[in-house]
Amino acid sequence: MPETNFKTHRAKMRTPEAATYCGSTESTFNKLRLTGGGPIYITIGRTVVYDPDDLDTWLASNRRKSTSVAA
């Protein structure tokens, strides 16, 4: 029998929910989309949504041990 790798489906989040999930604000997420410094997002028509897996990846990439370490 072939091995299958099913990914657990997690509902996509709109900007307010994604910002709360990351401990941020909707305003910050809107600005990050403009500057390109935020997490990967998806547009469906005019609606912006975030995949929780992408949010987790973005959060992990922003971990720091010290303020003196360059980002």
Side-chain angles (χ1 to χ4, degrees):
M1 176 186 292
E3 185 176 320
T4 55
N5 184 8
F6 290 101
K7 186 176 181 180
T8 304
H9 174 75
R10 294 168 66 187
K12 305 300 182 262
M13 297 180 210
R14 291 188 177 196
T15 304
E17 294 83 16
T20 299
Y21 178 83
C22 293
S24 188
T25 64
E26 181 177 1
S27 174
T28 297
F29 266 52
N30 291 336
K31 290 174 189 172
L32 288 170
R33 275 200 313 277
L34 290 173
T35 62
I40 295 171
Y41 62 93
I42 302 162
T43 55
I44 302 170
R46 298 175 88 186
T47 304
V48 174
V49 295
Y50 295 86
D51 186 315
D53 292 334
D54 293 331
L55 296 174
D56 291 338
T57 299
W58 179 70
L59 287 169
S61 72
N62 283 292
R63 293 176 64 131
R64 304 287 183 263
K65 291 179 85 173
S66 169
T67 58
S68 64
V69 176

Coordinates of all heavy atoms in Angstrom, one line a residue:
M1 N 0.8 -1.2 0.0 CA 0.0 0.0 0.0 C 0.9 1.2 0.0 O 1.8 1.4 0.8 CB -0.9 0.0 1.3 CG -1.7 1.2 1.4 SD -2.7 1.3 2.9 CE -3.9 0.0 2.7
P2 N 0.6 2.2 -0.9 CA 1.5 3.4 -0.9 C 1.2 4.3 0.3 O 0.2 4.3 0.9 CB 1.0 4.1 -2.2 CG -0.3 3.5 -2.6 CD -0.4 2.2 -1.9
E3 N 2.3 4.9 0.7 CA 2.3 5.7 1.9 C 1.7 7.1 1.5 O 2.1 7.7 0.5 CB 3.7 5.9 2.5 CG 3.7 6.7 3.8 CD 5.1 6.8 4.4 OE1 5.8 5.8 4.3 OE2 5.4 7.8 4.9
T4 N 0.7 7.6 2.2 CA 0.1 8.9 1.9 C 0.5 9.9 3.0 O 0.6 9.5 4.2 CB -1.4 8.8 1.8 OG1 -1.9 8.2 2.9 CG2 -1.8 8.0 0.5
N5 N 0.7 11.1 2.7 CA 1.0 12.1 3.6 C 0.0 13.2 3.6 O 0.0 14.1 2.7 CB 2.4 12.7 3.3 CG 2.9 13.7 4.3 OD1 2.3 13.9 5.3 ND2 4.0 14.4 4.0
F6 N -1.0 13.1 4.5 CA -2.1 14.0 4.5 C -1.7 15.2 5.4 O -1.3 14.9 6.6 CB -3.4 13.4 5.0 CG -4.0 12.4 4.0 CD1 -3.8 11.1 4.1 CD2 -4.7 12.9 2.9 CE1 -4.3 10.2 3.2 CE2 -5.2 12.0 1.9 CZ -5.0 10.7 2.1
K7 N -1.9 16.4 5.0 CA -1.7 17.6 5.8 C -3.0 17.9 6.4 O -4.0 18.0 5.8 CB -1.2 18.7 4.9 CG -0.8 19.9 5.6 CD -0.2 20.9 4.7 CE 0.3 22.2 5.4 NZ 0.8 23.2 4.5
T8 N -2.9 18.2 7.7 CA -4.1 18.6 8.4 C -4.6 20.0 7.9 O -3.8 20.9 7.9 CB -3.9 18.7 9.9 OG1 -3.4 17.4 10.4 CG2 -5.1 19.0 10.7
H9 N -5.9 20.1 7.6 CA -6.4 21.3 7.1 C -6.7 22.3 8.3 O -7.3 21.9 9.2 CB -7.7 21.1 6.3 CG -8.3 22.4 5.9 ND1 -7.8 23.2 4.9 CD2 -9.4 23.0 6.4 CE1 -8.6 24.2 4.8 NE2 -9.6 24.2 5.7
R10 N -6.1 23.5 8.2 CA -6.4 24.5 9.2 C -7.1 25.6 8.4 O -6.6 26.1 7.4 CB -5.1 24.9 9.9 CG -4.5 23.8 10.7 CD -3.1 24.1 11.2 NE -3.1 25.3 12.1 CZ -1.9 25.8 12.5 NH1 -0.8 25.4 12.1 NH2 -2.0 26.8 13.3
A11 N -8.1 26.2 9.0 CA -8.9 27.2 8.3 C -8.0 28.5 8.2 O -7.2 28.8 9.0 CB -10.1 27.6 9.2
K12 N -8.2 29.1 7.0 CA -7.4 30.4 6.8 C -8.0 31.5 7.7 O -9.1 31.4 8.1 CB -7.6 30.8 5.3 CG -7.2 29.7 4.3 CD -5.7 29.3 4.5 CE -5.3 28.3 3.5 NZ -5.3 26.9 3.9
M13 N -7.2 32.5 8.0 CA -7.6 33.6 8.8 C -7.5 34.9 8.1 O -6.6 35.1 7.3 CB -6.6 33.7 10.0 CG -6.5 32.5 10.9 SD -5.3 32.9 12.2 CE -4.8 31.3 12.6
R14 N -8.5 35.7 8.3 CA -8.5 37.1 7.8 C -7.5 37.9 8.6 O -7.0 37.5 9.7 CB -9.9 37.7 7.8 CG -10.8 37.0 6.8 CD -12.1 37.7 6.6 NE -12.8 37.0 5.6 CZ -13.9 37.5 5.0 NH1 -14.3 38.7 5.3 NH2 -14.5 36.8 4.1
T15 N -7.2 39.1 8.2 CA -6.2 39.9 8.8 C -6.4 40.1 10.3 O -5.4 39.9 11.1 CB -6.1 41.3 8.1 OG1 -5.8 41.0 6.7 CG2 -4.9 42.1 8.7
P16 N -7.6 40.5 10.8 CA -7.7 40.7 12.3 C -7.4 39.4 13.1 O -6.7 39.5 14.1 CB -9.2 41.1 12.5 CG -9.6 41.6 11.1 CD -8.8 40.8 10.1
E17 N -7.8 38.3 12.6 CA -7.6 37.0 13.3 C -6.1 36.7 13.3 O -5.5 36.2 14.2 CB -8.4 35.9 12.8 CG -9.9 36.1 13.0 CD -10.6 36.9 12.0 OE1 -10.0 37.2 10.9 OE2 -11.7 37.4 12.2
A18 N -5.5 36.9 12.1 CA -4.1 36.5 11.9 C -3.2 37.4 12.8 O -2.3 37.0 13.5 CB -3.7 36.7 10.5
A19 N -3.6 38.7 12.9 CA -2.8 39.6 13.7 C -2.9 39.2 15.2 O -1.9 39.2 15.9 CB -3.3 41.1 13.5
T20 N -4.1 38.9 15.6 CA -4.3 38.5 17.0 C -3.5 37.2 17.3 O -2.9 37.1 18.3 CB -5.8 38.3 17.3 OG1 -6.5 39.5 17.1 CG2 -6.0 37.8 18.7
Y21 N -3.6 36.3 16.4 CA -2.8 35.0 16.5 C -1.3 35.2 16.7 O -0.7 34.5 17.5 CB -3.1 34.2 15.2 CG -2.4 32.8 15.2 CD1 -2.9 31.7 15.8 CD2 -1.2 32.7 14.5 CE1 -2.3 30.5 15.7 CE2 -0.5 31.5 14.4 CZ -1.1 30.4 15.0 OH -0.5 29.1 14.9
C22 N -0.8 36.3 16.0 CA 0.6 36.6 16.1 C 0.9 37.6 17.2 O 2.1 38.0 17.4 CB 1.1 37.1 14.8 SG 1.1 35.9 13.5
G23 N -0.1 38.1 18.0 CA 0.2 39.0 19.0 C 0.4 40.4 18.5 O 1.2 41.2 19.1
S24 N -0.2 40.7 17.4 CA 0.0 42.0 16.7 C -1.3 42.7 16.5 O -2.3 42.3 17.1 CB 0.8 41.8 15.4 OG 1.2 43.1 14.9
T25 N -1.3 43.7 15.6 CA -2.5 44.4 15.3 C -2.8 44.4 13.8 O -1.9 44.1 13.0 CB -2.4 45.9 15.7 OG1 -1.4 46.6 14.9 CG2 -2.1 46.1 17.2
E26 N -4.1 44.6 13.5 CA -4.5 44.6 12.1 C -3.7 45.7 11.4 O -3.3 45.5 10.2 CB -6.0 44.8 12.0 CG -6.5 44.8 10.6 CD -8.0 45.0 10.5 OE1 -8.7 45.1 11.6 OE2 -8.5 45.0 9.4
S27 N -3.6 46.9 12.0 CA -2.9 48.0 11.4 C -1.4 47.6 11.0 O -0.9 47.9 9.9 CB -2.9 49.2 12.3 OG -2.1 50.2 11.8
T28 N -0.8 46.9 11.9 CA 0.6 46.5 11.7 C 0.7 45.5 10.5 O 1.5 45.6 9.6 CB 1.2 45.9 12.9 OG1 1.3 46.8 13.9 CG2 2.6 45.3 12.6
F29 N -0.3 44.6 10.4 CA -0.3 43.6 9.3 C -0.5 44.3 8.0 O 0.1 43.9 7.0 CB -1.3 42.5 9.6 CG -0.7 41.3 10.2 CD1 0.0 41.4 11.4 CD2 -0.9 40.0 9.7 CE1 0.6 40.3 12.0 CE2 -0.4 38.9 10.3 CZ 0.4 39.0 11.4
N30 N -1.4 45.3 8.0 CA -1.7 46.1 6.8 C -0.4 46.8 6.3 O -0.1 46.8 5.1 CB -2.8 47.1 7.0 CG -4.2 46.4 7.2 OD1 -4.4 45.3 6.7 ND2 -5.0 47.1 7.8
K31 N 0.3 47.3 7.2 CA 1.6 48.0 6.9 C 2.6 47.0 6.4 O 3.4 47.3 5.4 CB 2.1 48.8 8.1 CG 1.3 50.0 8.4 CD 1.7 50.7 9.6 CE 0.8 51.8 10.1 NZ 1.1 52.3 11.4
L32 N 2.7 45.9 7.0 CA 3.7 44.8 6.7 C 3.4 44.3 5.2 O 4.3 44.0 4.5 CB 3.7 43.7 7.7 CG 4.3 44.0 9.0 CD1 4.0 42.8 10.0 CD2 5.8 44.2 8.9
R33 N 2.1 44.3 4.8 CA 1.8 43.8 3.5 C 2.4 44.9 2.5 O 2.8 44.5 1.4 CB 0.3 43.7 3.3 CG -0.2 42.3 3.7 CD -1.5 41.9 3.1 NE -2.5 43.0 3.2 CZ -3.3 43.2 4.2 NH1 -3.2 42.5 5.3 NH2 -4.2 44.2 4.2
L34 N 2.3 46.1 2.8 CA 2.8 47.2 1.9 C 4.3 47.2 1.8 O 4.9 47.4 0.7 CB 2.4 48.6 2.4 CG 0.9 48.9 2.3 CD1 0.6 50.2 3.0 CD2 0.5 48.9 0.8
T35 N 5.0 46.9 2.9 CA 6.5 46.9 2.9 C 7.1 45.6 2.6 O 8.3 45.5 2.3 CB 7.0 47.4 4.3 OG1 6.6 46.4 5.3 CG2 6.5 48.7 4.7
G36 N 6.3 44.5 2.6 CA 6.8 43.2 2.3 C 7.5 42.5 3.4 O 8.2 41.5 3.3
G37 N 7.4 43.0 4.6 CA 8.1 42.4 5.8 C 7.2 41.4 6.6 O 7.7 40.9 7.6
G38 N 6.0 41.2 6.2 CA 5.1 40.3 6.9 C 5.1 38.9 6.4 O 5.9 38.5 5.5
P39 N 4.2 38.1 6.9 CA 4.0 36.8 6.5 C 3.4 36.7 5.1 O 2.8 37.6 4.6 CB 3.1 36.2 7.6 CG 2.3 37.3 8.1 CD 3.2 38.5 8.0
I40 N 3.6 35.5 4.5 CA 3.0 35.2 3.2 C 1.5 35.3 3.4 O 0.9 34.9 4.4 CB 3.4 33.8 2.7 CG1 4.9 33.8 2.5 CG2 2.6 33.4 1.5 CD1 5.4 32.4 2.2
Y41 N 0.8 35.9 2.4 CA -0.7 36.0 2.5 C -1.3 35.5 1.1 O -0.6 35.4 0.1 CB -1.1 37.4 2.8 CG -0.7 38.5 1.9 CD1 -1.6 38.9 0.8 CD2 0.5 39.1 2.0 CE1 -1.2 39.9 0.0 CE2 0.9 40.1 1.1 CZ 0.0 40.5 0.1 OH 0.3 41.4 -0.8
I42 N -2.6 35.3 1.1 CA -3.3 34.9 -0.1 C -4.4 35.9 -0.3 O -5.0 36.4 0.6 CB -3.9 33.5 0.2 CG1 -2.9 32.5 0.6 CG2 -4.8 33.0 -1.0 CD1 -3.4 31.2 1.2
T43 N -4.6 36.3 -1.6 CA -5.7 37.1 -1.9 C -6.8 36.3 -2.6 O -6.5 35.5 -3.5 CB -5.4 38.3 -2.8 OG1 -4.7 37.8 -3.9 CG2 -4.4 39.3 -2.0
I44 N -8.0 36.4 -2.2 CA -9.2 35.8 -2.8 C -10.1 36.9 -3.2 O -10.8 37.5 -2.3 CB -9.8 34.8 -1.9 CG1 -8.8 33.7 -1.4 CG2 -11.1 34.1 -2.5 CD1 -9.3 32.8 -0.3
G45 N -10.0 37.3 -4.4 CA -10.7 38.6 -4.8 C -10.1 39.7 -4.1 O -8.9 40.0 -4.2
R46 N -10.9 40.5 -3.3 CA -10.3 41.6 -2.5 C -10.0 41.2 -1.1 O -9.6 42.0 -0.3 CB -11.3 42.7 -2.6 CG -11.5 43.2 -4.0 CD -12.6 44.3 -4.0 NE -12.0 45.6 -3.8 CZ -12.6 46.7 -3.7 NH1 -13.9 46.7 -3.7 NH2 -12.0 47.9 -3.5
T47 N -10.3 39.9 -0.7 CA -10.1 39.5 0.6 C -8.7 38.9 0.8 O -8.2 38.1 0.0 CB -11.1 38.4 1.0 OG1 -12.4 38.9 0.8 CG2 -11.0 37.9 2.4
V48 N -8.0 39.3 1.9 CA -6.7 38.8 2.3 C -6.9 37.8 3.4 O -7.5 38.0 4.4 CB -5.8 40.0 2.7 CG1 -4.5 39.4 3.2 CG2 -5.6 41.0 1.6
V49 N -6.3 36.6 3.2 CA -6.3 35.6 4.2 C -4.9 35.1 4.4 O -4.0 35.2 3.5 CB -7.2 34.4 3.8 CG1 -8.7 34.9 3.8 CG2 -6.9 33.8 2.5
Y50 N -4.7 34.5 5.6 CA -3.4 33.9 6.0 C -3.5 32.5 6.3 O -4.5 32.1 7.0 CB -2.8 34.7 7.2 CG -2.5 36.1 6.9 CD1 -3.5 37.1 7.0 CD2 -1.2 36.5 6.5 CE1 -3.2 38.4 6.7 CE2 -0.9 37.8 6.3 CZ -1.9 38.8 6.4 OH -1.6 40.1 6.1
D51 N -2.6 31.6 5.9 CA -2.6 30.2 6.3 C -1.8 30.2 7.6 O -0.7 30.7 7.8 CB -1.8 29.4 5.2 CG -1.8 28.0 5.5 OD1 -1.6 27.5 6.6 OD2 -2.0 27.2 4.5
P52 N -2.4 29.5 8.6 CA -1.7 29.4 10.0 C -0.3 28.8 9.9 O 0.6 29.2 10.6 CB -2.7 28.5 10.8 CG -4.0 28.7 10.1 CD -3.7 28.9 8.7
D53 N -0.1 27.9 8.9 CA 1.3 27.4 8.8 C 2.3 28.5 8.4 O 3.4 28.5 8.8 CB 1.3 26.2 7.8 CG 0.5 25.0 8.3 OD1 0.4 24.8 9.5 OD2 0.0 24.3 7.4
D54 N 1.8 29.4 7.5 CA 2.7 30.5 7.1 C 2.9 31.4 8.2 O 4.0 32.0 8.4 CB 2.1 31.2 5.9 CG 2.0 30.4 4.6 OD1 2.9 29.5 4.4 OD2 1.1 30.6 3.8
L55 N 1.9 31.7 9.0 CA 2.1 32.5 10.2 C 3.1 31.9 11.2 O 4.0 32.6 11.7 CB 0.7 32.8 10.9 CG -0.3 33.5 10.1 CD1 -1.6 33.5 10.9 CD2 0.2 34.9 9.8
D56 N 3.0 30.6 11.4 CA 4.0 29.9 12.3 C 5.4 30.0 11.7 O 6.3 30.3 12.5 CB 3.6 28.5 12.5 CG 2.3 28.3 13.3 OD1 1.9 29.2 14.0 OD2 1.7 27.2 13.1
T57 N 5.5 29.9 10.4 CA 6.8 30.0 9.8 C 7.4 31.4 10.0 O 8.6 31.6 10.3 CB 6.8 29.6 8.3 OG1 6.3 28.2 8.2 CG2 8.1 29.7 7.6
W58 N 6.6 32.4 9.7 CA 7.0 33.8 9.9 C 7.4 34.1 11.3 O 8.4 34.7 11.5 CB 5.9 34.7 9.4 CG 6.2 36.1 9.5 CD1 7.1 36.8 8.7 CD2 5.6 37.1 10.4 NE1 7.1 38.2 9.1 CE2 6.2 38.3 10.1 CE3 4.6 37.0 11.4 CZ2 5.8 39.5 10.9 CZ3 4.3 38.1 12.1 CH2 4.9 39.3 11.8
L59 N 6.6 33.6 12.3 CA 6.9 33.9 13.7 C 8.3 33.2 14.0 O 9.1 33.8 14.7 CB 5.8 33.3 14.6 CG 4.5 34.1 14.6 CD1 3.4 33.4 15.3 CD2 4.8 35.5 15.2
A60 N 8.5 32.0 13.6 CA 9.7 31.3 13.8 C 10.9 32.0 13.2 O 12.0 32.0 13.8 CB 9.6 29.8 13.3
S61 N 10.7 32.6 12.0 CA 11.8 33.3 11.4 C 12.2 34.6 12.1 O 13.3 35.2 11.8 CB 11.5 33.6 9.9 OG 10.5 34.6 9.8
N62 N 11.3 35.1 12.9 CA 11.6 36.3 13.6 C 12.1 36.2 15.1 O 12.2 37.1 15.8 CB 10.3 37.2 13.6 CG 10.1 37.9 12.3 OD1 10.9 38.7 11.9 ND2 9.1 37.4 11.6
R63 N 12.4 35.0 15.4 CA 12.9 34.7 16.8 C 14.3 35.2 16.9 O 15.2 35.2 16.0 CB 12.9 33.2 17.0 CG 11.5 32.6 17.1 CD 11.6 31.1 17.3 NE 12.2 30.8 18.6 CZ 11.7 30.0 19.5 NH1 10.6 29.3 19.2 NH2 12.4 29.8 20.6
R64 N 14.6 35.9 18.0 CA 15.9 36.4 18.3 C 16.4 36.1 19.7 O 15.5 35.9 20.6 CB 15.9 38.0 18.2 CG 15.4 38.5 16.9 CD 16.4 38.3 15.7 NE 16.0 38.8 14.5 CZ 15.4 38.1 13.5 NH1 15.2 36.9 13.6 NH2 15.1 38.7 12.4
K65 N 17.7 36.0 20.0 CA 18.2 35.8 21.3 C 18.7 37.0 22.0 O 18.8 37.1 23.2 CB 19.4 34.8 21.2 CG 19.0 33.4 20.8 CD 20.2 32.5 20.7 CE 20.5 32.0 22.1 NZ 21.6 31.0 22.1
S66 N 18.9 38.1 21.2 CA 19.5 39.3 21.7 C 19.1 40.5 20.8 O 18.9 40.3 19.6 CB 21.0 39.2 21.8 OG 21.6 40.4 22.1
T67 N 19.0 41.7 21.4 CA 18.7 42.9 20.6 C 20.0 43.3 19.8 O 19.9 44.1 18.9 CB 18.3 44.0 21.5 OG1 19.3 44.3 22.4 CG2 17.0 43.7 22.1
S68 N 21.1 42.8 20.1 CA 22.3 43.1 19.4 C 22.6 42.3 18.2 O 23.5 42.6 17.4 CB 23.6 43.0 20.4 OG 23.7 41.7 20.8
V69 N 21.8 41.2 18.0 CA 21.9 40.4 16.8 C 21.2 41.0 15.6 O 20.0 41.4 15.8 CB 21.4 39.0 17.1 CG1 21.4 38.1 15.8 CG2 22.1 38.3 18.2
A70 N 21.9 41.2 14.5 CA 21.2 41.8 13.3 C 20.1 40.9 12.8 O 20.2 39.7 12.8 CB 22.3 41.9 12.2
A71 N 19.0 41.5 12.4 CA 17.8 40.8 11.9 C 18.1 40.3 10.5 O 18.8 40.8 9.7 CB 16.6 41.7 11.9

